[in-house]
Amino acid sequence: MTRRIAAFCTILSLAQAYEGPAPKEVAEQGGIYVGIEALMGYRSDYVYRGEYVAESSMEIQISGGVALDDDWYVQGELFYLNECEASPFRQIQILGELNYYLNAESTIGYYVSGQEFDRTTLESGIEQGVIWRWNPSLDWGIKAKIVYDSGQEGTYAKIQASYMPLIVENIAWVNCAQVACAINYADTDGIKELMLRTGLSWAVNESWKIEPYVAWYYGVGRDDFSQFCAGFWLSYSF
């Protein structure tokens, strides 16, 4: 039972672009754990895997998952991002995961995704790989992922650590640090990206959540850059 509840929490935190904290409470309905989340957001600048690709962008995401039993769960996501400029960048992504619980705190999963890029140097394609998550407590989380991207004809790997303590009831302070490496990915080998992000996560009620944040990115590759950005996510879970 504990694994099924933990799996359900992880399902609701699956978002590829969002990657926010897992909810701390879940509800059981008929013995089947199902999570669906709709999210919209804004970013002053959009950095994707160490590539600066867009300014002033809006995004929409729909994600969901089902805990199959005490050990297995599946999840999927549809992600759309569009730049708010005259000649916009656009990204559409459909992804799915099959995950297995190694123990009560960690999972490993198979990841597959299809992506379409418009008006950027990034190429559309299919990627697949392995993702590992470890949540030793409600405050701490570590995630590692390695994928092969057919569009970029290279391999991308990252590890991310998150610290999410509650500061008052229903409001958490969310902090993330990430380092990513590449093997022949977007003409890059070695370190691809560094990221630091901090913000708040306010659970307005059982369904609505607001998350403003600021972030810093350092990208390595075709154009090395350092970039600060700000944004927010507004999500509804049901």
Side-chain angles (χ1 to χ4, degrees), residues 33-47:
Y33 294 83
V34 179
I36 301 175
E37 183 176 72
L39 177 146
M40 67 167 292
Y42 168 83
R43 304 177 193 231
S44 62
D45 299 89
Y46 181 48
V47 177

Side-chain angles (χ1 to χ4, degrees), residues 83-174:
E83 188 176 10
C84 306
E85 301 293 337
S87 300
F89 160 82
R90 182 182 66 181
Q91 178 183 356
I92 301 173
Q93 182 178 33
I94 299 176
L95 66 91
E97 287 183 30
L98 174 64
N99 293 276
Y100 176 77
Y101 259 80
L102 300 172
N103 52 51
E105 293 84 27
S106 63
T107 65
I108 190 167
Y110 170 72
Y111 165 97
V112 62
S113 170
Q115 300 186 94
E116 179 182 276
F117 298 100
D118 187 26
R119 304 187 186 185
T120 178
T121 55
L122 293 169
E123 299 292 337
S124 303
I126 303 294
E127 64 180 33
Q128 55 184 324
V130 176
I131 185 167
W132 171 75
R133 298 180 177 91
W134 179 41
N135 295 96
S137 69
L138 292 176
D139 293 340
W140 285 96
I142 296 176
K143 177 165 61 176
K145 177 167 66 175
I146 181 168
V147 300
Y148 177 79
D149 186 338
S150 68
Q152 315 331 305
E153 297 183 343
T155 300
Y156 173 87
K158 73 173 185 180
I159 184 166
Q160 176 181 293
S162 301
Y163 177 56
M164 303 165 288
L166 281 175
I167 53 177
V168 296
E169 186 177 2
N170 298 330
I171 299 180
W173 181 26
V174 183

